[in-house]
Amino acid sequence: MGKRALFIEYLNTRKIHTRLLFAGNVTKQPYMRHYDYRISGTLTNTDTVMNDSLWVGIHPSLSGAMLDYMSEAISLFCKTH
């Protein structure tokens, strides 16, 4: 299991919701096969964003305690992985 998948599983078990980020190397998205486009460079960073990024669920109604819980859980994962 990759590190992002492990992180998502870790957060899900703690009821912290995530979504994958739609960004990065859009040239690898299926809809792009119908378009002509030019690539400049290696797109290494766009691949990193596509493969390693995610959104953590946030909303204005989250309390300070909820945000602290999320922050502590994320910090603990970073320290132990």
Side-chain angles (χ1 to χ4, degrees), residues 15-72:
K15 308 285 190 232
I16 300 171
H17 296 280
T18 64
R19 297 286 182 267
L20 296 182
L21 181 66
F22 178 76
N25 191 348
V26 296
T27 66
K28 293 186 177 179
Q29 298 299 325
Y31 74 88
M32 288 300 291
R33 69 176 171 253
H34 303 294
Y35 296 95
D36 291 327
Y37 53 86
R38 181 179 63 87
I39 295 174
S40 177
T42 64
L43 304 182
T44 302
N45 291 333
T46 61
D47 287 336
T48 298
V49 169
M50 182 178 67
N51 294 320
D52 299 336
S53 298
L54 59 95
W55 291 103
V56 175
I58 58 170
H59 190 271
S61 67
L62 292 175
S63 69
M66 292 172 172
L67 294 172
D68 289 343
Y69 173 78
M70 290 170 57
S71 176
E72 290 167 10

